[in-house]
Structures are given as structure tokens and as C-alpha cells.
Amino acid sequence: MAEEAEGRVDLPPTPGSEQQAPHFLQDVIFHGKFKLLKALTPQESTLCQHGLFFLDGQRRVDYVLSYPSKKPSSGRSGRQATHLLTENAVARSLRRGPHSRGQHNPHHQAQRAKDPSGADVELGCPETLNGHEDQKILRREEFEGKLKDMGLELEKDEETKISGVSFVKIHAPWNILCREAELMKLKMPTKKVYEVKQLRGVVEKISSLVSKVVEPLHPQVEEHQQKNIKHLSHTFSREKQHLFDLSDKDYFFDSKTRSSIVFEILKRTKCKAKYSMGITSLLGNGVYTAAYPLHDGDINEECAVPNDRKLLYEEWANYGVFYKYQPIGLVRKYFGEKIGLYFAWLGLYTQMLIPASLVGVIVFLYGCATVDDNIPSMEICSTGNNITMCPLCDRVCSYWNLSSACATARASHLFDNPATVFFSIFMALWAAMFMEHWKRRQMRLNYEWDLTGFEDEEEALKDHPRAEYELRVMQKSTNKDQKAQHKIEKLTCQDRLPAYTTNIVMMLLMIGVTFAIVFGVILYRISTKAALYMSSNPVTRNNAQLTVKTTAAIINLVVILILDEVYGAVARWLTVLEVPKTDKSFEERLIFKTFILKFVNAFTPIIYIAFFRGRLVGRPGSYLYVFESYRMEECAHGGCLMELCIQLSITMLGKQLIQNNLFEIGVPKLKKLIRYIRSKQGAFQEEERKKKLQRYETDHFLEPFAGLTPEYMEMIIQFGFVTLFVASFPLAPLFALLNNIIEIRLDAKKFVTELRRPVAARAKDIGIWYNLLRGVANVAVIVNGKEPMEPLYLGQPVQTCRYKDYRDPPWSTTPYEISKEFWAVLAVRLAFVIVFQNVVMLMSDIVDWLIPDIPKDISLQIHKEKILLVDLFLKEEQGKAGNLQHRSSMEGNENWSNNNNKHTNSTNSL
């Protein structure tokens, strides 16, 4: 897998490859020889440092920009482009001054040549270009000049092994790193260390015993410091560099921090060209094709140089270590706090599913053990009653005996038994425990990762505008009358009114599409059931209900999978229309829209079966019809609960197996195969096979990081399946646990081997996702109290058949009207729902009150850190005051001695 991810490259076709390509594709597709993809992929150099540094071997590559390059040609337009590039370069050189002009890299100077007019032109720049390409080159030249003015060092590689792509390598010197770290308020470890307070007494013995028991479950990741010793951290400042350990400046800022610093510079560096707002705008306009930091090195076994990426691959992104804990500290060190928090949350969620799965299995086994003692099932299965039931559909359906629903009734008892009520209460308390446990875990990670004072930094960075927002502001400013001289500083609600209107209309339209599809599936069930009952085959007629249930559930699953992709694209388009000001606002609005659409898409069919199906039917002689020809469907022989269980199981398992796992594994393989088909590469020549790719060239062919929204979204939807209808499907936590064990390693493998390295982002919590989890948990309390309870009362006996409802007999004064028993049962159900909801809510609040959000030991350590910081600065100030006093006394003594010498000299002269 790693080799496949490392060797993605499109090379020009070799002679004879067009004839060999059909045989290659035939072997891959029809004979399953997928190893050919590995054999035909050029391997990168075994030297892990190959491509991680500039050509001098000293300066580390902190960031890489790629852009398209073409072969040079001649022409008039090329001379004009050359003149524009030369004029731009000369102006930039004059702006930087003679000192900066003399600091160009020798390798960069070697790539320049003279044109006939005597101007310096960089090789690789096209001479015959249209106006659009000219603008791209000008903006690229200007942007790179601005980066040099900001202090970054650049090195170009235009003679790459990838045709049509050139690279710009970026290095941040030490003084730039210090300046930006101070501006970004990065917390760095100081020289001061202190001892972390350890547990004592019985608690310490229990903790030590538990640590020894779970020792084999911990990953084999080296700890660079003792667990009871921690460095005191403080916001980096150039004036207080003496507080930090700067003995090794090359590794004081790790690769994650260096790349995030360079990315901040790239985001805020602007060009004078029209509507250029930094690297985000340049990527959107095609000036650059990609911008990414580099992975630390190779993950192949023959690599002799150890690196964090290889360690993560061995101890984390490996299915063989599925039973071990995740190295969350190393994940945070390599990918940043935001991704580290996601995997920490996913790991805790998976651990909490273990007790829920055990209780769910016990409830299911209890149903299996008591199925023979269930009185309703025994009465239904009794052949002595011989109760004749009314037809379930018109014309083609016949009368049926209640005893024919024996198997369905017994199967329903497995999932709907007296233990189900207990399980519903348990899962509501489980959700509250999970949320509280995560808050404590999150606070502990904030302390360990030095994020306890992150609120102020977040507020300072929150108002940084996005490039698209600034572009709209500039466009609005240019559209205003220049005579008015009115400065537009922000977009008003009036400016966003068309976008808001479009959002509301489109959201309602998408929800309406979901409802329409559910209604279409209802029509499918009604018509298919009637068609199957008309069949002459008795087996088909007997299995008509099961066939309709299963096929309808599969159709719902396919529609859900398709609409999930559509709704994700629609939500992003609607969010872009709004033009949010900040990245945080953009992300939160996108998440909210996506969650609403996907939640409605996934749970609408289930909600229909649970709360509406079988309740809008009517009665014999006065049934409810759709389009005056389709009679509304009733519940099956054993009630709607079994259908709800089938729909839940197929939807949940299908989404997990197909969408979450198969797509994540199969899509990268399919993309790789498509690349080979497009390149028509049947085989590589020996010299092509020996080509070694640089690190930045290898990473260029990895998939770009698209954010954590898809990862969180699939887990939130799964959390809904686990909590909302758990009373109907007690095995849902078990299937979720099995899926998440695979999901953790699958996501880890994707991040380490399949994706470009993301830019590290700081985060103190999981953001809006926590609020969505709380909302789903609260809704689960209401849903589990209102799930369908099948009426045990059958309609009054008549000459022909019976039906399932609470109505008066035909000989009463109000025939077929709703009886008093219906209202009595309804009142009991309503009372149960109210009591259930309030009891569970009260118990959840008690759990929330009993468990503090911040662990006591962490609270004490945070307080201790503040005291140590105050003492450190007081000692520093006292030292400065002592030095000033000593210096002033020394100066006073010197002045006194000088005056004394002058007085002695004057006396001698007299």
C-alpha cells in the first residue's frame, strides 16, 4: 500500500508501449494481476533525505509550490511576454536593492540565459503565450518576489522528472521563524522543568496495576522525556530567547511548526495584481497547481533513516496493531492538534462502544432466551385460535390467518422485549457519560499539548478574512462611484440577501427531494406487493412481504449513498455563495448545512417506518388511498418493528461497508488504474524504471487533504444510528464497534500513505461537532421513548375478518369510530414518554453534575504552571534590576574615581 502511494507518476509513453498497453490492461482488469501496478511504478530513492533539503544540503524544504511549465518557443507574443517579465524582474530587483540582488542561489542563476535583447530570462518560461498565461507568469513572479521580500528563501526546480510541472521549494530561515512564531503566539517549551504530581496511596497502586496489565496494548513509541517531568511552556518571544533551549536551532521548531509558519506567510502575502489575495487566490486562479508541506521521509523497510512518518506507519497505520492504543502524541506532533483531536475523539468513542456493545448483546440474548415464554408470541402462534385477518391490499390480497405471522412475531421479540426499556435508559446515560468523558479527555490533552491559553489566540485569529471575502469587498468597492469616496469595509446583510434566499430555497428543495424519494419507495412497496401477490407461484406469494421489505431497504440505501454525495456538493456550493468572512465561519456553516441534509437523507425512511407507517391506513370499507388507486400500506404480519430493524440494519451496515470502507479503499485504487489507462503506459524502459523521484515529486502525486468534515460526518451519522433507534436494534453498538476498529486504521493509513501532508492547525476542541453530538443525544431520549408499540387489541369480531386497531364494533351506536380504549392507551403512552424523557434527562444532568469537566490533577497542574511562570518572570525581573543596580554602582564608582583623579591632578599642578 505504501509503495503504491509512493510511486504515482505519469511518464511519457515509451516506444512500443501503445502495443503493450492492451495486454497490460487485460492482465490487470481481467486476470487480477494488480501487482503489475507496483512493478511498473518507479521507486523513489532509498535515501529518505532525498528531496527534503535544498541543493546545498543544509536548508530544509519547509513548503513546496508547483506550477505548470511548457517548452519554450519563438514568436512575437513571446518577445512581449519576455519584455514584461524582464521589466517586472528589474522593478522588483530595484525595489529590493543591490544587497538582495547579490544573494541569489548559484543554482538558480545557472538556470538563466540571455535572450537576443540582452535581458535575463528564466529557462522554462514559455515565450509564446496568450494573455491569460502571461498574467499567470507575472503574478507568479511578483508573488515569489514578495515572498523573498518577506525573508523566505526560494529554490526552483524546472528540470523535474515530471513533464509539464515545475516546483518552487521554500525555506524559512531562523530569524523568520522566530518573528512569525512571536506573531502567531506559539507556545514553546522553556528550559524550566517541573515535576508532575503523581497519584499516591491506594489509587497509585491501582493505577500501577492497571498500567502493567495494559502495557502490551501501548504502541512501541519512544518517549523523549519521563512521564513525571514536564517542560514549562511559554509564548515564544525574541526578547526572551534566553528562556528557551536553543542549543539545536535546526530542530527547535519541528517540521509541523515550520510548515504552518510558512503557510501563514503564504496566506497573507498579497500581490499588486488585480484581486490577488495570497496563495489561496493564486491556487484558485491556476497560477499554482498545488501547495503543500513535505512528508518527513520514506516508509519503506530499506530506509535506514528513522522518521516520524515511518514510525506512524508501523505503530499506527497498520491493521496488525488494531488492538493497541493510538500514539496520539505522535499523531499530534506530525499532523497537528486538530487532526490529533479527531483521532483522540474517535479512539475514545470506540472504547466507549465496548460496554454498550456488551449490554446490547446481553439484551439480544435475553430476547433469545425468553422467546418461548413471550405471551403475545404464544397467542399469535397458537393454531387453536385460528383468527382470520382482513386482506392487506385490495383485490389481489386474500384473507390470512394470524398464526401465519408466528415467525415474524418471534423474531420481533428478539429485538423488542422487556430488557429493551432498560437498554434505552442505559444508552441515554451512556451518551451523557461519553460526552463528559470526552470533555475530561479533551482538557487533559489541552494541558499536555500546551493549549490551556488558546482562547485569546483563537479570538485574535478569528477575524482574519478569507481571500474570497476580500475579493468580494474589492469588487464591491470598484463598483461604487469613485466620487462618493465611500470605503467599503465589509459585506452587509443586504449584499448577502440573494445568497441567503438561495440557501433557504435550495435547502427546502433538497429536503423535499428526500421526502419525494421516500414517497416513491412507498409507492414501490405498494405496487410490488400487489404484483407479487398476483403471481401463480406459491413461494413468491408466501415470501412477498420479505421480498418487498428487503428490496425497499436496499433501494433506500442506494439512494442515500447517491444523495450523500450530491448533498455534500450542494452544501459546499451554498456556503461559497454566502462568502463567509473567516475560515472558521466557513467551516461551521458548511458543517451545519451538510449535517442537516445528510441527517434528513439517512433517517427519513427510518422515521417514516417508526412513527407513520400503519397509522394512516383507515379501516375496512374506508381505507386511505394515494392517487385514488394505491391503498396506503399497513404494517406486516408481525408489526412494523421488524421492518424497522431490517431498514436500520441494511442502512447502517451498508453505509459502513460501502461508503465508509469500500469507497475509501477502492477509490484510490480506481484513480490509480485510471491514471495508468490515460497515460497508456504498458511498460517502462529500464532507464525509466531507474529514475528516482524527489520527495516533493512523490508527494505531488498524493491526494490533497480535503479536511476532516467527511470523517466527522460519517461518525456523527453512525452515532445517530447507535443512539436514536437503539431500542429497535440493540446490536447497533456492536456493528459500530467492529466498523470503528477498522475505520481507525483505515483513516490512519490514508493520512500516512495516501494523502499529502496537511498543514498543521491548532485547535482546542472539536468545535461545532460537540454541539451536534449533544443535539443527537437529546433527540435520542425522545425518540427511544416514542418508538412503535404495536397494539395488542384486535378489531371487534365480525362475520368476515378482523383488523388491528382500537375501534367500536359495527353494532354499536358509533360503528367503526375510535374507541375509548384508544384514548386510554394513548394517554398511557404519552405518560410513559413524558416520564421516560424527564427521568432520563434528570439522570443525564446528575451524571453531568457529578463528573467535573476538568480533572482535579489537571486543574492543580495548570495552577502550578501559572505560579511557576510568575516566579520565573519575577526572578528574571529581579535579575535585571540587580544587573542595572550593579551597573549603576559601577558607573558611579568610575565617575568618583575620575573626579578624584582630576582633583589630584589639579592640586599637583597648583
Side-chain angles (χ1 to χ4, degrees), residues 9 43-45 50 161 691-695 697-698:
V9 57
Q43 299 296 324
E44 66 176 51
S45 176
H50 193 55
K161 302 177 183 67
K691 279 189 175 183
K692 304 300 180 182
L693 298 177
Q694 301 280 349
R695 177 79 264 155
E697 294 173 329
T698 304

Side-chain angles (χ1 to χ4, degrees), residues 109 252 258 298 311 337 382 430 461 472 531 562 568 706 726 784:
Q109 292 179 354
F252 180 75
R258 297 174 69 100
D298 196 7
L311 188 59
E337 288 79 7
S382 176
W430 173 87
L461 298 175
R472 285 289 301 274
I562 295 174
V726 71
N784 285 322

Side-chain angles (χ1 to χ4, degrees), residues 565-807:
E565 303 299 323
V566 175
Y567 288 165
V570 170
R572 177 169 291 276
W573 174 65
L574 293 177
T575 308
V576 170
L577 285 181
E578 291 185 21
V579 194
K581 184 176 181 181
T582 62
D583 289 329
K584 182 180 179 181
S585 176
F586 181 89
E587 184 179 16
E588 289 181 349
R589 297 186 185 194
L590 173 62
I591 290 171
F592 181 75
K593 293 182 183 65
T594 307
F595 172 76
I596 292 296
L597 293 176
K598 291 191 175 183
F599 186 87
V600 171
N601 181 38
F603 289 99
T604 298
I606 300 172
I607 291 174
Y608 164 73
I609 296 176
F611 300 116
F612 297 100
R613 185 176 178 182
R615 287 167 172 79
L616 304 174
V617 179
R619 61 175 177 82
S622 181
Y623 284 114
L624 180 64
Y625 289 88
V626 181
F627 301 139
E628 299 182 357
S629 57
Y630 294 100
R631 173 180 155 186
M632 283 298 295
E633 57 182 350
E634 299 183 39
C635 291
H637 301 166
C640 287
L641 188 63
M642 197 60 196
E643 296 188 28
L644 179 62
C645 180
I646 293 175
Q647 182 68 52
L648 272 169
S649 58
I650 291 180
T651 304
M652 181 179 178
L653 297 179
K655 279 181 65 67
Q656 291 182 166
L657 294 176
I658 298 176
Q659 190 177 44
N660 300 353
N661 295 329
L662 184 61
F663 282 2
E664 293 186 10
I665 296 175
V667 169
K669 301 283 188 184
L670 183 61
K671 288 183 178 180
K672 186 173 184 179
L673 181 60
I674 292 175
R675 260 198 311 275
Y676 275 92
I677 294 175
R678 287 180 176 178
S679 61
K680 298 180 181 180
Q681 289 180 263
F684 292 109
Q685 290 184 352
E686 188 65 26
E687 58 269 19
E688 298 291 346
R689 192 177 302 167
K690 292 181 179 179
K691 279 189 175 183
K692 304 300 180 182
L693 298 177
Q694 301 280 349
R695 177 79 264 155
Y696 51 87
E697 294 173 329
T698 304
D699 288 359
H700 179 75
F701 290 100
L702 299 180
E703 294 293 324
F705 175 64
L708 290 171
T709 300
E711 314 298 336
Y712 271 115
M713 189 62 66
E714 64 185 57
M715 289 296 106
I716 296 294
I717 298 297
Q718 184 199 87
F719 184 78
F721 283 117
V722 169
T723 56
L724 288 178
F725 298 93
V726 71
S728 301
F729 191 41
L731 297 180
L734 177 63
F735 290 118
L737 173 63
L738 298 177
N739 172 81
N740 289 1
I741 292 174
I742 302 174
E743 181 72 20
I744 290 177
R745 306 303 165 179
L746 181 63
D747 286 346
K749 199 175 188 68
K750 181 174 64 175
F751 273 84
V752 174
T753 64
E754 299 289 340
L755 298 179
R756 294 174 187 164
R757 187 175 183 178
V759 179
R762 290 181 296 171
K764 189 177 180 180
D765 49 39
I766 60 176
I768 193 176
W769 297 110
Y770 181 82
N771 298 329
L772 296 178
L773 284 171
R774 295 286 299 207
V776 172
N778 293 333
V779 173
V781 176
I782 303 174
V783 170
N784 285 322
K786 291 184 179 180
E787 283 195 17
M789 302 180 199
E790 298 300 330
L792 301 179
Y793 177 77
L794 295 175
Q796 295 292 336
V798 295
Q799 296 180 356
T800 307
C801 63
R802 299 190 186 191
Y803 59 98
K804 191 163 51 176
D805 204 348
Y806 294 100
R807 293 183 181 272

Side-chain angles (χ1 to χ4, degrees), residues 157-176:
D157 185 3
E158 296 182 340
E159 298 178 356
T160 64
K161 302 177 183 67
I162 306 173
S163 59
V165 180
S166 297
F167 297 93
V168 178
K169 296 173 283 185
I170 303 176
H171 169 76
W174 169 255
N175 60 329
I176 304 302

